[in-house]
Amino acid sequence: MPNKPLLLVAFLTMQVLLHAQETPSAVKNNNPVFPGWYADPEGTIFGNRYWIYPTYSAPYDKQVFLDAFSSPDLVNWTKHSRILDTASIKWARRAMWAPSIIQYRKKYFLFFGANDIQSNQEKGGIGVAVADNPAGPFKDHLGKPLVDQFYNGAQPIDQFVFADKDGQHYLIYGGWRHCNIGKLNADFTGFVPFKDGNTFQEITPEGYVEGPFMFIRNGKYYFMWSEGGWTGPNYSVAYAMADSPMGPFKRIGKILQQDPAIATGAGHHSVIRVPGTDQWYIVYHRRPKGETDANARVTCIENLYFDENGLIKPVTITQEGVSANKLR
């Protein structure tokens, strides 16, 4: 008659061995979240899918289109190619950057920068495109740039559209270490002046370089931006908090930066909140370890956490990224 204790030990040993063989395949590195050189990602949610709208990271003259990516769970992504390109934006010829998208009145409005203008005499700036579907195709909403001049020293790039809790939409933008905010009109064709008569007000905090982003949590306005040079290893993200989208914003500190063991140049981000929860993600780009080309940038996602005082905890950049989280 077989010895039952010995059989049990053999069975348990086999299970341990099988589990040990299965574990490595169960650990998956989800960063970067999709292949290819992509930067300046804006993450959002439409319906039951996550979406990311990035810059195609290449020399400026090759940046003549925008792709998008969607996912049901943050792990499996579908590419939507050329949702917008210079064929549909006649005034844009290069350097299509940093898309920002919002759903409004059953339409999808995509704000983007183009041409990398260096003065008020050049053609380009911030444009708006519109579509019936988040995957496009997007068409020019105005036939010209929405912002084509330098106001308060801000280069018209790196636009972010912010929907306040009262329904007012703001355009927050700016390069060259200056950040402006303006109140968009009801059809996104222009701006509503502030009480002082100005179209834009400057809200630049200490350390600001570019890449603004804003969100609300527990009644507080979190304003975030990128610091350092985008081509270098020390690109990073810092933030401030205020009681209004107008600020004033006093810099609190950095929350995202390089880990040379994993990647450098971690910056130009966005934030996603899972609806109905206090679960947050940060979507950003970084330069993989060993890469030195300025355009060798990939899109990644990490968890974003807050402490008991509502301050953002420093983000740990990882190869693993985030686990699957299917929208309900």
Side-chain angles (χ1 to χ4, degrees):
M1 184 176 181
N3 187 314
K4 291 184 178 180
L6 289 176
L7 288 174
L8 179 60
V9 168
F11 174 77
L12 291 174
T13 300
M14 181 62 69
Q15 292 302 304
V16 170
L17 289 172
L18 286 172
H19 180 71
Q21 292 172 350
E22 292 171 358
T23 299
S25 63
V27 177
K28 183 180 180 182
N29 288 346
N30 291 322
N31 276 335
V33 293
F34 39 74
W37 300 132
Y38 290 97
D40 315 330
E42 171 151 312
T44 189
I45 293 173
F46 295 129
N48 62 352
R49 294 186 75 85
Y50 301 92
W51 287 81
I52 293 178
Y53 296 82
T55 298
Y56 172 60
S57 190
Y60 292 0
D61 287 336
K62 294 184 178 180
Q63 292 176 326
V64 294
F65 64 89
L66 295 172
D67 295 330
F69 298 82
S70 67
S71 170
D73 58 8
L74 290 174
V75 173
N76 300 289
W77 293 87
T78 299
K79 181 178 179 179
H80 306 272
S81 297
R82 290 183 175 264
I83 62 167
L84 179 72
D85 61 33
T86 52
S88 58
I89 309 295
K90 301 303 182 183
W91 56 266
R93 61 184 180 84
R94 69 198 288 263
M96 298 189 81
W97 288 344
S100 180
I101 190 167
I102 196 160
Q103 184 180 11
Y104 181 59
R105 293 180 176 174
K106 298 183 180 181
K107 299 281 187 179
Y108 296 86
F109 292 88
L110 185 71
F111 294 71
F112 60 93
N115 297 355
D116 184 34
I117 64 172
Q118 304 293 300
S119 71
N120 289 336
Q121 286 68 52
E122 297 177 55
K123 189 174 184 178
I126 295 170
V128 191
V130 64
D132 295 321
N133 187 294
F138 285 85
K139 302 298 182 184
D140 199 337
H141 184 48
L142 301 176
K144 62 181 181 179
L146 175 68
V147 183
D148 63 355
Q149 301 285 299
F150 284 68
Y151 299 95
N152 304 319
Q155 185 188 23
I157 62 167
D158 288 5
Q159 52 291 316
F160 172 65
V161 184
F162 174 67
D164 203 356
K165 53 192 175 184
D166 63 359
Q168 175 65 55
H169 290 85
Y170 293 90
L171 184 73
I172 305 170
Y173 76 91
W176 290 12
R177 300 181 180 273
H178 292 276
C179 184
N180 287 334
I181 187 169
K183 296 171 67 173
L184 285 159
N185 63 16
D187 57 5
F188 297 161
T189 59
F191 297 89
V192 178
F194 291 102
K195 290 182 179 180
D196 62 5
N198 290 320
T199 303
F200 299 105
Q201 292 194 13
E202 186 168 5
I203 56 171
T204 309
E206 176 192 358
Y208 177 92
V209 174
E210 59 192 14
F213 190 87
M214 188 178 288
F215 66 90
I216 303 173
R217 180 179 182 267
N218 294 339
K220 292 290 185 179
Y221 291 79
Y222 290 73
F223 180 45
M224 310 173 80
W225 62 89
S226 291
E227 300 182 341
W230 72 270
T231 61
N234 295 318
Y235 204 47
S236 55
V237 171
Y239 82 108
M241 296 167 64
D243 296 321
S244 160
M246 309 302 297
F249 292 105
K250 181 175 176 56
R251 185 183 187 277
I252 295 173
K254 289 185 181 181
I255 55 93
L256 177 71
Q257 55 189 316
Q258 68 167 341
D259 177 350
I262 295 176
T264 61
H268 204 128
H269 76 300
S270 57
V271 171
I272 296 175
R273 173 179 174 258
V274 178
T277 76
D278 195 34
Q279 187 167 17
W280 300 76
Y281 298 102
I282 185 166
V283 187
Y284 67 101
H285 76 240
R286 69 193 192 194
R287 192 165 290 106
K289 182 180 178 181
E291 293 286 352
T292 57
D293 188 298
N295 290 306
R297 298 174 291 173
V298 293
T299 293
C300 299
I301 304 178
E302 313 287 359
N303 290 290
L304 188 70
Y305 299 113
F306 302 82
D307 69 15
E308 62 276 9
N309 297 313
L311 299 177
I312 301 175
K313 294 183 177 182
V315 176
T316 300
I317 68 171
T318 68
Q319 304 289 12
E320 292 79 17
V322 297
S323 301
N325 187 2
K326 194 167 185 177
L327 291 168
R328 298 180 183 278

